[in-house]
Amino acid sequence: MAREASHPPANAKLWLDDLLSRIDTYRDGMLTLLAFPVAVGHPMNLTTVKLAGARGVAQRVAELLAEHEIPGRKDALQTIAKGSPNYMGRDRDAWNELLAWASEQTDVGNIRRAWLYLLAGVAATARSVPPLPPIDTSRLSFPATAGLLDELLSTPSNGAYEQFVFAALLHAYVEQLGIRANERVATKSLNAADASAMAAGDVQHLAGGQVLEAYEITANDWRTKVTQAVEALRRYDLARVHIVGAARDVSADEIAAALPGNLDVSVLDVHHEVRSLTHRLLKPARRDTIERLYDHLVHRQPREDLVVTLVDALKRRGLVEPS
């Protein structure tokens, strides 16, 4: 089995490596679909696998990955097949090519070697991160919560803390308001480009499939996000878009001078906006923020030390329940 895993079919390796280059729905969806012919012991047309049954298997795959501390995606096949009767014709060329290749095979051994190679690559991403200790909700006053988030934002993280702290806070705030049942906040993986993630921004506030608000987040100067913000505004035909970054002393006139035309692009300082959202949350929502931040750090960025820093800070600041 080890030899098979290290020797995938030569004509499929390029596509397999492409899928392994990102932790996303395409990687986990392909891991699920290739398992079907391997399990039954004969080739099959994977483009016609029934969606309902395959989604259930994909959910079980996600559970198994989580149990082994392997970052993965929930509802991978449901996301990929959304709005379509089959799995073909997606934006990811490697997905389409590998799916067609596997469906045309006459030797299940080739599919098995491809699946084992993909499985080994996924298993190699297993992480050893500390569990999130139970949060003491009663201790999450504004100073205590803001102090924790200030510490994280002062820690270099390649923008991970900035993006995921903001996303977790906004999600908790939207849930606390309870405006509409179909509203949600979504954020992409740290290093995924907006276009490849099919997202209007690093963080999106959505109602169903409609983008209500789009946010570009950065730890750097806000001007580094102007091009992306303007592109999102036009590509997704948004009424407005927001940049959240280093903008502590910027004036409105400076913002206007950096933008082409009279565009409605907000510029918010990330530290100020984090505090503003924190003060709007009740203590249970602040606890939800920390729990969601932990989940983002585990599943949407590669650095284990950022998870360790969060857990250590919670313990040191006395924000966890006594053991």
Side-chain angles (χ1 to χ4, degrees):
M1 184 176 294
R3 187 179 186 282
E4 288 180 289
S6 61
H7 290 82
N11 54 353
K13 186 176 184 300
L14 182 65
W15 305 320
L16 290 163
D17 287 340
D18 183 274
L19 293 180
L20 285 169
S21 68
R22 306 177 201 170
I23 300 172
D24 62 5
T25 55
Y26 289 109
R27 186 203 70 167
D28 294 358
M30 187 59 69
L31 183 66
T32 301
L33 286 182
L34 291 182
F36 277 83
V38 173
V40 299
H42 60 75
M44 58 193 300
N45 186 349
L46 297 181
T47 66
T48 58
V49 172
K50 291 184 179 179
L51 304 186
R55 288 169 184 168
V57 176
Q59 290 173 356
R60 180 53 183 153
V61 168
E63 292 171 0
L64 288 171
L65 294 181
E67 289 173 12
H68 291 84
E69 297 184 343
I70 299 173
R73 294 289 176 266
K74 297 179 181 178
D75 301 321
L77 290 182
Q78 182 175 351
T79 301
I80 292 169
K82 186 176 182 180
S84 175
N86 59 53
Y87 298 112
M88 288 299 289
R90 296 298 173 266
D91 292 334
R92 192 82 172 270
D93 289 340
W95 166 271
N96 296 322
E97 296 288 354
L98 189 58
L99 191 61
W101 172 85
S103 298
E104 294 168 356
Q105 293 302 301
T106 58
D107 181 358
V108 72
N110 290 332
I111 302 174
R112 174 182 166 85
R113 286 164 55 206
W115 179 72
L116 287 174
Y117 181 79
L118 187 61
L119 180 62
V122 172
T125 65
R127 307 171 70 182
S128 178
V129 295
L132 180 68
I135 307 299
D136 188 342
T137 307
S138 68
R139 298 186 65 84
L140 296 180
S141 64
F142 173 80
T145 308
L148 170 71
L149 300 181
D150 277 352
E151 178 179 339
L152 297 181
L153 293 179
S154 68
T155 304
S157 66
N158 195 32
Y161 283 141
E162 284 75 11
Q163 177 177 329
F164 298 132
V165 164
F166 178 82
L169 283 167
L170 184 62
H171 192 283
Y173 182 55
V174 168
E175 284 199 337
Q176 180 177 278
L177 290 176
I179 299 174
R180 281 187 263 175
N182 66 341
E183 283 191 36
R184 60 191 175 90
V185 172
T187 186
K188 60 185 183 61
S189 296
L190 181 64
N191 296 319
D194 292 349
S196 64
M198 294 181 287
D202 297 323
V203 178
Q204 299 177 97
H205 179 189
L206 305 155
Q210 179 187 2
V211 179
L212 301 179
E213 306 287 356
Y215 299 84
E216 289 292 345
I217 317 295
T218 180
N220 301 319
D221 186 271
W222 64 274
R223 294 172 184 83
T224 61
K225 284 286 189 175
V226 167
T227 299
Q228 287 173 261
V230 171
E231 181 180 344
L233 194 72
R234 291 169 174 165
R235 174 181 294 179
Y236 293 91
D237 193 27
L238 302 176
R240 61 184 185 178
V241 71
H242 316 285
I243 298 173
V244 182
R248 197 178 297 271
D249 298 315
V250 64
S251 70
D253 287 341
E254 288 177 290
I255 295 170
L259 298 174
N262 188 31
L263 299 179
D264 197 357
V265 177
S266 307
V267 175
L268 308 166
D269 180 74
V270 63
H271 290 84
H272 292 168
E273 192 63 11
V274 162
R275 286 199 178 183
S276 178
L277 284 168
T278 300
H279 103 275
R280 297 172 191 273
L281 299 180
L282 299 174
K283 288 182 178 180
R286 292 171 183 165
R287 180 199 62 230
D288 292 346
T289 293
I290 295 170
E291 292 173 348
R292 190 167 298 275
L293 171 59
Y294 174 87
D295 184 70
H296 287 331
L297 292 173
V298 169
H299 296 293
R300 290 186 167 82
Q301 63 84 40
R303 289 176 52 182
E304 296 179 6
D305 63 298
L306 299 185
V307 184
V308 173
T309 296
L310 170 62
V311 172
D312 286 350
L314 286 166
K315 293 177 178 178
R316 183 170 17 87
R317 290 175 175 271
L319 300 180
V320 301
E321 294 180 359
S323 56

